[in-house]
Amino acid sequence: MNINQIKYLAVISMLCDHIAYAFLPSSSTIYMVMRLFGRIAAPSMCFVLAQGFMHTSNRKKYFIRLFVFALISQLPFSYFGFGSYTGPMGNVIFTLACAFAIMAVIENINKIGRVPAIVAIVLLLFLSMLSDWLVFAPMFTLSIYLNRNSKDRQALGYLIVSLISFAAGTYFAIKNGQIWQYQFWQLGTVLVIPIIYAYNGKPGSKASFNKWFFYVFYPAHLMILGILCWDYSFAI
């Protein structure tokens, strides 16, 4: 699989995840299946982000693009998730921007200095806690970036983060009085491991459409689903 193919798989996965989240009862089988598949989306984006960081010709532009579209996506994200334009957390592109910045700090640790770099990484992880996917998006990203010379180590590191993510989701579900078995779909993150091995190291077509489609799709589909959910109450 090339990067474009992984991106489009992430888009399909994300759409399934958000449709289930917005419109289906959480105890239904179809909900769990769709959200299981939907867990591919964010970690796949982390995988693409790590590859982009390593291969982009202009990291400054890449980061600015992430930050700008995080700002653009915030209102649709808040409305979709909370029915309000003032949601309590940031969207996943903010989290990806934090992950990108962490990779930049790690790469320049000798220039920055070990102590300032550690402080910067801690602050960036704290910022990621305020957005979707919390610290897990940076952890998924780092499991790929730090093990870039070995797919086996990437898969192992990624699996460990996936299990930690599942354990955290299960813990908070139990703490909030929910049935823990309903969190089984969180294990869908492990479905990214075959993608790690299937990646062929190629970007795919460099057409502008492939570059910009995800950035436009993310806020657009959130806004549409948010309107359908909150304004028209299509939930089953």
Side-chain angles (χ1 to χ4, degrees):
M1 297 179 71
N2 61 44
I3 287 296
N4 285 339
Q5 290 168 335
I6 295 172
K7 284 182 180 179
Y8 287 115
L9 178 60
V11 163
I12 296 169
S13 169
M14 183 191 305
L15 185 59
C16 288
D17 186 71
H18 290 165
I19 288 173
Y21 173 83
F23 305 116
L24 299 177
S26 61
S27 59
S28 67
T29 300
I30 185 64
Y31 173 92
M32 293 188 187
V33 170
M34 290 180 70
R35 297 219 70 188
L36 184 78
F37 176 62
R39 294 298 85 185
I40 292 175
S44 291
M45 289 187 287
C46 294
F47 181 86
V48 169
L49 182 74
Q51 300 301 328
F53 179 85
M54 290 184 282
H55 296 111
T56 184
S57 60
N58 192 320
R59 289 177 179 168
K60 182 178 180 180
K61 284 186 178 179
Y62 199 137
F63 179 79
I64 291 173
R65 185 163 65 246
L66 284 170
F67 189 75
V68 168
F69 275 92
L71 293 175
I72 291 171
S73 300
Q74 187 55 37
L75 292 182
F77 172 81
S78 294
Y79 192 66
F80 169 74
F82 308 100
S84 164
Y85 291 114
T86 56
M89 66 189 306
N91 64 79
V92 73
I93 303 184
F94 276 121
T95 328
L96 294 177
C98 289
F100 190 95
I102 289 171
M103 289 188 288
V105 170
I106 291 173
E107 184 164 290
N108 293 283
I109 193 168
N110 291 330
K111 296 179 182 178
I112 298 171
R114 189 171 298 275
V115 173
I118 291 173
V119 172
I121 291 170
V122 170
L123 289 174
L124 287 165
L125 287 173
F126 174 77
L127 287 175
S128 73
M129 286 291 292
L130 304 177
S131 295
D132 197 17
W133 281 86
L134 310 175
V135 296
F136 297 111
M139 290 171 67
F140 281 131
T141 306
L142 291 176
S143 72
I144 302 300
Y145 171 68
L146 295 176
N147 298 299
R148 53 192 176 276
N149 295 320
S150 170
K151 287 191 175 185
D152 289 338
R153 289 200 300 270
Q154 284 182 336
L156 178 59
Y158 177 88
L159 176 62
I160 292 171
V161 178
S162 294
L163 295 178
I164 293 172
S165 173
F166 172 70
T170 302
Y171 169 77
F172 285 112
I174 295 172
K175 186 177 181 180
N176 293 325
Q178 300 172 4
I179 301 174
W180 76 267
Q181 290 90 334
Y182 288 170
Q183 296 298 308
F184 178 76
W185 53 268
Q186 298 272 17
L187 279 175
T189 54
V190 301
L191 296 175
V192 174
I193 292 177
I195 295 174
I196 293 173
Y197 284 103
Y199 174 54
N200 59 17
K202 298 179 180 179
S205 170
K206 295 184 179 180
S208 295
F209 180 85
N210 292 321
K211 179 178 180 179
W212 296 105
F213 176 76
F214 171 75
Y215 289 106
V216 175
F217 173 84
Y218 181 69
H221 94 283
L222 288 176
M223 196 71 247
I224 293 170
L225 292 180
I227 290 171
L228 293 176
C229 178
W230 296 104
D231 294 356
Y232 293 93
S233 300
F234 283 167
I236 297 174

